[in-house]
Amino acid sequence: MNITPGPLLGKIETPTDLRKLSKEQLHEVSEELRQFIIDVVSVHGGHFAASLGVIELTVALHYVFNTPYDQLVWDVGHQAYGHKILTGRRDVFHTNRKYKGLSGFPKRDESPYDTFGVGHSSTSISAALGMAIASKYKGEADRQHIAVIGDGAMTAGMAFEALNHAGVANANVLIILNDNCMSIDPNVGALKEYLTDITTSPTYNKLRDDVWHMLGKLPIGKRFTRDMASKLEASLKGVVSSSSNLFEALKLRYFGPIDGHNIIKLVDTLQDLKDIPGPKLLHIVTTKGKGYALAEKDQTTWHAPGLFDKITGEIFKKVVETPQPPKYQDVFGHTLIELAELNKTIMGITPAMPSGSSLKFMMEQMPDRAFDVGICEQHAVTLSAGLATQGMRVFCNIYSSFFQRAYDQALHDVAIQKLPVVFCLDRAGVVGEDGPTHHGAYDIAYMRCVPNVIISAPMNEEEMRNLMYTAQLPTMQQPFVIRYPRGQGVMPEWRLPFREIKIGTGRKVRSGKDIAILSLGHPGNFVTEACKELLADGLQPAHYDMRFVKPLDEALLHEIFSEFDKVITVEDAAITGGFGSAILEFMAQHGYKASVRILGIPDRIIEHGKPEDLHRECGYDATGIAKVAREMLKDKITVTA
């Protein structure tokens, strides 16, 4: 489907073209840009509401600043669609998040306008500050550095660390706080209340506006300077609203709040701020999903709705006639409630992903036992550790890729103290269209070296339930990792009775005599399909679902290596240091000789695309597994004329 941009947007190939327009034309550009995103995303999919909320800001930034010389960092990339369209990627924007197409996030090797790759949140201030310090060192006094950070991303500790440094670095950095009370789910915590206090204080805002209106009628000269006016405003902030003190106490000049959808006001404000050196923060108030009524009303649903009818708002769902397997995240969410009803010590923690992880179900039914702590993975892990010291059995649900951010806490606060925290690592393996910043590739490798930790992966929903059940038993007194992928499982009828799984035990899925295929987690289902192909070739593969990578089922491995001299391992994780590596270590330790092929995520960055495309590219889909098995068994394959 060919989607045509509006007449003004159609002439903008780069921000240089945008800057040729009059300020009065920017409102029309904003409307055309908003409509173009609605048109493309409704047909091709992608993130939605976040970019609609910053259309005017995006236009104003590229209009006022000399990008890419002036460096713009988005936090996070969900809101950067307008930025991509205005910076030379309009005509290929329909490939966004598609295999071999544009990345869904800013990406340095995609465009010079993408100054920093941003998939995880709360990095923009640190990155922009680093750029600003470098520019200062190089004598680039005219260069501007802008970090756009959402109020959800601002909840992370890293953002506050950067603010603390920015205030004393004396570098030319502008932080734009995009305040819409949302990340993917509604924001939580004291910062949300703090920002609400600023934006809703009628006394402060009216007095501030009245004073500036009055000052505008005074002659600015020797007796009343701009600096004096700024000091007067600062004193008003301190007297009327204590809320403004947070940023200014960190030595950041605070401006706002202003309407983030008033394009003329934004342009004028940004022009003024260009002339003010040093660290400063502009607080803008926006509506996530602005311009599309349904998205404004239900911002969580419309964060990334999939394909939809832009006129009616109907989100297209695949219609199926038979019962379908659930998503693994929903198995987690519903199973946790079942377990919590049986075990009163169970609690749930997630860092800002209650919908994505399905902890929302427990938060709704048991609000005193399930908590969203904001985009604070480190805090989530150590909070879980603190709860565990008091006898609570905590299920800490973090996406595998985001768990990396709390590695020190998992090691120092949980593993060393041998606390029985259950880490449920959602989105393990390749996640699809979100790409390399979100692939859960590394958790096995970086957790396998940590003492005291059990690491498991279910092949299906029944095993996942049973691993969760096992992890919360009173006899389990050490950290327990359960990793599982994004998307559907394989069992429509999955609500089966709980059964304890003995730690460090696998199972034989099928017997065979020619080759042993050892799988960990959901890719075991790919092995099942591969075995069907191999059987059709007259080959007899054996399949073992190992379930645990730490501890390994050594009894089962002794049996395997005593019987087979050809082995394939399959995992949805980095092969360097992962499950296959653990099998090779076992072989070396016990002196076994066998030909082993390790299948999984290779030692390179895997880009975005549908999971099935990425499994095929990495070579561990059913076809890839069968191909490797045939190569290893080529002397056993009979070719008929």
Side-chain angles (χ1 to χ4, degrees):
M1 179 180 179
N2 186 30
I3 296 171
T4 305
L8 290 178
L9 183 61
K11 297 177 181 178
I12 298 173
E13 300 298 332
T14 70
T16 301
D17 299 321
L18 174 66
R19 295 175 201 126
K20 295 175 183 176
L21 302 177
S22 69
K23 190 162 62 173
E24 290 69 31
Q25 290 176 295
L26 297 183
H27 176 74
E28 180 59 31
V29 171
S30 298
E31 288 307 307
E32 290 182 13
L33 182 57
R34 179 172 278 114
Q35 188 58 52
F36 187 73
I37 290 175
I38 292 171
D39 289 345
V40 174
V41 175
S42 66
V43 174
H44 295 282
H47 293 105
F48 186 62
S51 285
L52 295 186
V54 293
I55 292 295
E56 289 80 10
L57 175 63
T58 304
V59 172
L61 285 168
H62 284 294
Y63 188 75
V64 171
F65 292 100
N66 182 27
T67 54
Y69 178 73
D70 290 337
Q71 298 191 297
L72 176 59
V73 183
W74 292 94
D75 192 344
V76 289
H78 298 143
Q79 58 190 336
Y81 285 8
H83 160 82
K84 290 201 172 209
I85 293 165
L86 292 176
T87 56
R89 289 165 278 185
R90 182 194 63 230
D91 293 342
V92 292
F93 185 64
H94 63 280
T95 70
N96 184 54
R97 291 169 56 85
K98 293 183 179 179
Y99 190 55
K100 305 295 185 181
L102 290 179
S103 169
F105 301 95
K107 187 176 180 183
R108 279 175 54 83
D109 61 6
E110 186 176 287
S111 168
Y113 291 90
D114 293 357
T115 62
F116 202 77
V118 281
H120 293 191
S121 80
S122 316
T123 59
S124 60
I125 303 174
S126 298
L129 180 59
M131 296 171 185
I133 291 172
S135 293
K136 181 181 177 182
Y137 174 75
K138 292 188 290 183
E140 300 167 342
D142 62 331
R143 200 169 199 182
Q144 305 286 330
H145 312 84
I146 308 100
V148 181
I149 183 168
D151 53 322
M154 189 68 91
T155 63
M158 185 175 178
F160 284 94
E161 293 170 14
L163 288 172
N164 185 50
H165 185 197
V168 298
N170 195 29
N172 192 21
V173 61
L174 169 61
I175 301 160
I176 298 178
L177 173 57
N178 174 31
D179 181 4
N180 60 22
C181 294
M182 289 290 295
S183 49
I184 294 176
D185 288 290
N187 287 333
V188 298
L191 181 65
K192 172 190 173 184
E193 305 302 327
Y194 162 78
L195 294 175
T196 300
D197 180 48
I198 295 178
T199 57
T200 61
S201 171
T203 305
Y204 165 58
N205 284 291
K206 185 176 188 305
L207 182 57
R208 183 185 66 115
D209 292 342
D210 289 348
V211 168
W212 278 107
H213 179 71
M214 177 189 71
L215 292 178
K217 297 179 180 180
L218 294 177
I220 304 297
K222 293 182 180 179
R223 300 189 61 188
F224 195 89
T225 65
R226 182 187 294 267
D227 185 57
M228 293 169 64
S230 295
K231 289 179 179 178
L232 176 57
E233 186 195 20
S235 66
L236 286 173
K237 292 175 184 176
V239 170
V240 178
S241 175
S242 61
S243 300
S244 63
N245 288 339
L246 171 62
F247 300 115
E248 295 191 350
L250 293 170
K251 301 188 183 302
L252 296 164
R253 295 191 64 178
Y254 173 88
F255 300 88
I258 67 171
D259 180 1
H261 300 298
N262 184 332
I263 185 71
I264 302 301
K265 178 70 171 177
L266 280 171
V267 167
D268 290 343
T269 302
L270 292 172
Q271 289 282 12
D272 288 342
L273 292 179
K274 279 178 68 174
D275 299 328
I276 299 175
K280 46 203 172 283
L281 185 143
L282 173 63
H283 182 182
I284 70 169
V285 180
T286 63
T287 300
K288 189 173 182 180
K290 179 70 174 178
Y292 194 77
L294 292 172
E296 293 183 32
K297 184 178 180 181
D298 187 354
Q299 297 165 334
T300 298
T301 297
W302 288 88
H303 172 73
L307 308 186
F308 61 95
D309 185 317
K310 70 174 185 178
I311 305 300
T312 66
E314 177 190 1
I315 298 174
F316 300 130
K317 301 290 185 182
K318 185 177 180 180
V319 178
V320 292
E321 301 294 332
T322 58
Q324 294 297 298
K327 294 180 179 179
Y328 277 102
Q329 68 193 54
D330 291 339
V331 175
F332 163 81
H334 293 298
T335 299
L336 188 61
I337 292 174
E338 289 182 60
L339 292 171
E341 289 171 345
L342 300 172
N343 183 346
K344 301 304 180 184
T345 69
I346 286 177
M347 287 187 167
I349 301 290
T350 189
M353 302 304 294
S355 294
S357 71
S358 292
L359 189 67
K360 63 179 181 179
F361 302 137
M362 188 177 183
M363 290 173 64
E364 292 166 357
Q365 295 189 33
M366 304 174 177
D368 59 333
R369 298 171 65 184
F371 306 95
D372 173 6
V373 300
I375 305 178
C376 307
E377 293 87 358
Q378 294 169 304
H379 168 60
V381 171
T382 303
L383 173 68
S384 299
L387 287 165
T389 66
Q390 302 305 303
M392 298 296 106
R393 189 53 58 102
V394 185
F395 283 76
C396 182
N397 188 299
I398 304 181
Y399 289 5
S400 170
S401 180
F402 300 160
F403 189 51
Q404 296 157 191
R405 311 183 93 182
Y407 184 58
D408 179 67
Q409 287 68 29
L411 194 163
H412 186 277
D413 298 336
V414 178
I416 288 178
Q417 301 189 96
K418 205 174 180 180
L419 293 171
V421 175
V422 185
F423 293 117
C424 293
L425 304 188
D426 198 343
R427 273 66 168 175
V430 294
V431 297
E433 291 86 346
D434 281 337
T437 57
H438 286 61
H439 294 325
Y442 311 110
D443 56 87
I444 293 177
Y446 67 67
M447 289 303 292
R448 196 167 67 84
C449 61
V450 178
N452 295 333
V453 178
I454 295 167
I455 306 173
S456 67
M459 182 173 159
N460 54 41
E461 297 90 323
E462 180 183 14
E463 282 192 348
M464 182 168 173
R465 282 170 58 82
N466 289 334
L467 286 168
M468 290 177 67
Y469 172 75
T470 302
Q472 57 84 49
L473 292 173
T475 53
M476 191 53 54
Q477 292 298 316
Q478 62 192 102
F480 199 123
V481 173
I482 306 172
R483 69 183 313 266
Y484 50 93
R486 181 183 188 182
Q488 281 186 315
V490 293
M491 298 177 62
E493 302 298 327
W494 58 276
R495 291 182 184 267
L496 301 173
F498 292 122
R499 178 176 57 83
E500 181 179 357
I501 295 178
K502 184 179 179 182
I503 301 302
T505 60
R507 66 186 179 102
K508 182 188 289 186
V509 178
R510 75 173 314 277
S511 298
K513 62 180 182 178
D514 295 326
I515 191 169
I517 307 177
L518 283 56
S519 64
L520 182 75
H522 183 79
N525 298 290
F526 308 160
V527 176
T528 299
E529 294 303 311
C531 287
K532 293 177 183 177
E533 292 188 35
L534 296 172
L535 287 168
D537 291 340
L539 300 174
Q540 294 291 326
H543 176 202
Y544 299 86
D545 167 27
M546 297 303 293
R547 291 195 294 217
F548 293 89
V549 64
K550 186 173 185 178
L552 290 168
D553 188 338
E554 295 200 355
L556 188 57
L557 288 175
H558 282 300
E559 175 185 320
I560 292 168
F561 284 105
S562 296
E563 185 176 348
F564 296 93
D565 61 0
K566 294 180 175 62
V567 174
I568 298 173
T569 69
V570 184
E571 60 196 293
D572 196 6
I575 60 176
T576 303
F579 167 62
S581 294
I583 299 301
L584 292 181
E585 291 166 15
F586 173 86
M587 277 182 57
Q589 181 181 357
H590 295 282
Y592 286 113
K593 305 293 183 183
S595 175
V596 178
R597 290 284 300 275
I598 300 175
L599 302 184
I601 299 175
D603 189 21
R604 59 181 172 84
I605 299 299
I606 304 301
E607 300 297 340
H608 61 282
K610 292 184 180 300
E612 52 267 32
D613 291 330
L614 303 182
H615 294 150
R616 182 181 65 252
E617 177 184 317
C618 293
Y620 64 92
D621 64 344
T623 300
I625 296 166
K627 178 183 177 183
V628 170
R630 291 189 190 100
E631 291 172 358
M632 298 179 73
L633 296 172
K634 57 186 176 181
D635 58 324
K636 291 182 176 291
I637 298 176
T638 302
V639 179
T640 56

